[in-house]
Amino acid sequence: MPRIAELTPKMYVAIELLENAIDAYFRAAYFAAIQLAGGAEEIFGKYIARVSPSDNAFASLKNFAVELAGPSNEKERLVLGKAIGDRMTYARNRTKHINQTGDDDILFDPVLEAKDLLDRAVTDYYHLMNYFSLPESDLLRRFNSLK
């Protein structure tokens, strides 16, 4: 029998992505963890922008790196911010896109990249716990014990 479509809050989607990303990470399915965590991070980041005066983890880390580099003017700040943002999204973008030719391989540490993405998504999730009634799952606690 066909399933009837129902409205699903995107917060639930993001939570499911995060939980599955953490599970994939613990099963050493790092490329899946990268994609799932990236999706969760993106959704959580939009929720944070709606409810909090604070930046999401991605923006906060990127802005800190720009400030640390000390650009001398606004143009340099923008160029540097774009380069840092591109680096932060490199693994996710490289594993979800492919060009017509000459783009068949990737070269990065998938364990480190998955951990970085998960760290940001989990940070955003905990930030959102201040605004939404969100559960702290066993997987979240287990991932946090790695720190």
Side-chain angles (χ1 to χ4, degrees):
M1 170 173 271
R3 300 189 89 155
I4 298 173
E6 61 184 62
L7 285 176
T8 303
K10 289 188 180 179
M11 180 65 78
Y12 293 165
V13 174
I15 293 168
E16 182 177 308
L17 291 172
L18 179 60
E19 290 284 316
N20 281 284
I22 295 169
D23 180 63
Y25 181 83
F26 286 129
R27 290 184 294 104
Y30 301 114
F31 298 112
I34 287 168
Q35 288 303 315
L36 294 165
E41 176 193 34
E42 196 170 326
I43 295 169
F44 291 150
K46 299 295 184 188
Y47 274 105
I48 288 172
R50 288 181 182 177
V51 300
S52 173
S54 301
D55 284 337
N56 60 50
F58 180 90
S60 181
L61 184 59
K62 182 180 86 167
N63 293 339
F64 176 75
V66 169
E67 290 304 314
L68 190 62
S72 59
N73 58 55
E74 189 58 29
K75 182 180 179 187
E76 193 175 300
R77 178 182 303 283
L78 292 172
V79 169
L80 188 57
K82 169 107 171 67
I84 291 168
D86 288 349
R87 174 58 193 96
M88 291 172 67
T89 58
Y90 179 80
R92 182 171 184 226
N93 287 334
R94 290 293 294 143
T95 56
K96 75 175 182 175
H97 300 294
I98 187 167
N99 296 324
Q100 291 289 16
T101 60
D103 190 27
D104 294 345
D105 303 297
I106 56 171
L107 180 61
F108 58 78
D109 181 344
V111 179
L112 177 65
E113 296 292 343
K115 177 86 168 51
D116 284 349
L117 264 162
L118 277 166
D119 279 337
R120 294 195 312 260
V122 167
T123 297
D124 286 347
Y125 184 82
Y126 279 106
H127 184 128
L128 288 167
M129 289 174 91
N130 295 310
Y131 301 93
F132 299 94
S133 179
L134 301 174
E136 182 181 37
S137 70
D138 290 338
L139 275 172
L140 276 166
R141 280 190 288 278
R142 182 176 170 206
F143 182 78
N144 278 329
S145 73
L146 299 176
K147 296 180 181 183

